């Protein structure tokens, strides 16, 4: 319930003023208002990869972009598939969680406490807005951080590209 309120508040902040359609200024329509944070028509698990991709392009990406830019317009102004799927998304066929994503350590570990003190605002936003919204959009209950973030470093070498370098695009 609380997250719904947060989402509504974010939407009001994000979509403020855009109601006046006939002003013709930007003509931007809110994806959240237009489609709603609702599940897909058929269960996610039963959708083909092609249908999943369409759903990502047509609904998840625009709605998530709206949520992320409402949270921090500067940081997430060019929010796109790559922010969740990583630069390597095509090579790994959009497998999630993307290995290059920030690692969310298991709860109760020193790493988890470190994350809370380093990224208090991000974690709050992730807990209250991003995770529940993604769960609703996929129609999956109890969606967790692990849907998007790895919980440990990849087994290979420890040369994980850091987030900033993985963000630069060609
Ligand atoms: C907010 C994060 C986010 C954004 C933005 C996003 N995705 Fe996804 N995507 C996911 C997650 C999480 C999954 C896996 C869902 C699950 O099965 O639990 C996924 C799954 C997929 C899949 C299915 C992969 C498979 O084999 O099952 C495809 C294809 C895909 N995304 C493409 C895209 C494309 C293309 C874009 C940009 C238009 C995009 N995604 C944007 C989070 C995101
Ligand atoms: C739907 C996908 C998704 C889910 C679920 C999710 N996150 Fe995120 N998270 C992201 C994206 C996208 C970013 C921004 C990555 C970027 O800046 O490129 C991010 C960024 C972060 C950051 C900031 C990292 C940095 O280097 O700036 C932290 C911390 C974080 N998430 C923690 C969490 C926690 C804790 C949870 C669970 C409560 C969670 N996330 C759930 C997609 C997700």
């Amino acid at each position: 319930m609380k997250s719904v309120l947060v989402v509504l508040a974010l939407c009001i902040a994000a979509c403020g003023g855009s109601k006046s359609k006939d002003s013709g200024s930007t003509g931007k329509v809110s994806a959240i208002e237009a489609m709603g944070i609702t599940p897909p028509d058929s269960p996610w698990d039963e959708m083909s990869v092609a249908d999943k991709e369409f759903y990502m392009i047509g609904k998840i990406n625009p709605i998530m972009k709206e949520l992320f830019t409402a949270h921090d317009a500067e940081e997430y102004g060019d929010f796109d598939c790559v922010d969740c799927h990583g630069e390597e998304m095509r090579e790994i066929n959009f497998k999630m969680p993307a290995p290059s994503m920030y690692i969310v350590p298991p709860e109760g570990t020193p790493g988890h406490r470190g994350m809370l003190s380093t990224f208090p605002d991000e974690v709050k936003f992730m807990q209250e807005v991003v995770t529940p919204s993604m769960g609703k959009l996929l129609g999956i209950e109890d969606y967790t951080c692990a849907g998007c973030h790895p919980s440990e470093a990849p087994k290979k070498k420890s040369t994980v590209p850091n987030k900033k370098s993985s963000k630069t695009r060609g």
Side-chain angles (χ1 to χ4, degrees), residues 81-92:
C81 324
V82 70
D83 287 272
C84 286
H85 285 283
E87 288 291 337
E88 73 283 32
M89 61 188 185
R90 289 183 202 288
E91 289 74 52
I92 61 172

Side-chain angles (χ1 to χ4, degrees), residues 18 20 27-28 34 48 50 53 59 62 65 70 73 77 85 88 96 105 107-109 120-121 132 163 170:
S18 67
S20 46
K28 265 205 171 180
S48 68
E53 184 163 1
K59 189 167 168 187
K65 182 181 172 129
H85 285 283
E88 73 283 32
M96 287 296 276
E107 250 176 275
T109 60
D121 294 344
K163 171 186 151 270

Side-chain angles (χ1 to χ4, degrees), residues 133-149:
S133 300
M134 192 66 180
K136 280 182 203 138
L137 286 166
L138 294 172
I140 298 175
E141 271 178 51
D142 303 323
Y143 209 71
T144 67
C145 318
C148 297
H149 294 275

Side-chain angles (χ1 to χ4, degrees), residues 7-64:
V7 168
L8 285 175
L10 281 170
C11 187
I12 289 159
C15 325
S18 67
K19 279 266 156 64
S20 46
K21 272 211 183 125
D22 43 16
S23 73
S25 49
T26 62
K28 265 205 171 180
V29 176
S30 159
I32 296 172
E33 280 180 32
M35 293 179 276
I37 301 184
T38 51
D41 291 336
S42 41
W44 178 254
D45 282 346
E46 290 168 21
M47 284 164 72
S48 68
V49 174
D51 285 347
K52 286 180 175 177
E53 184 163 1
F54 279 126
Y55 189 71
M56 285 278 152
I57 295 169
K59 189 167 168 187
I60 294 199
N61 196 57
I63 285 181
M64 280 293 176

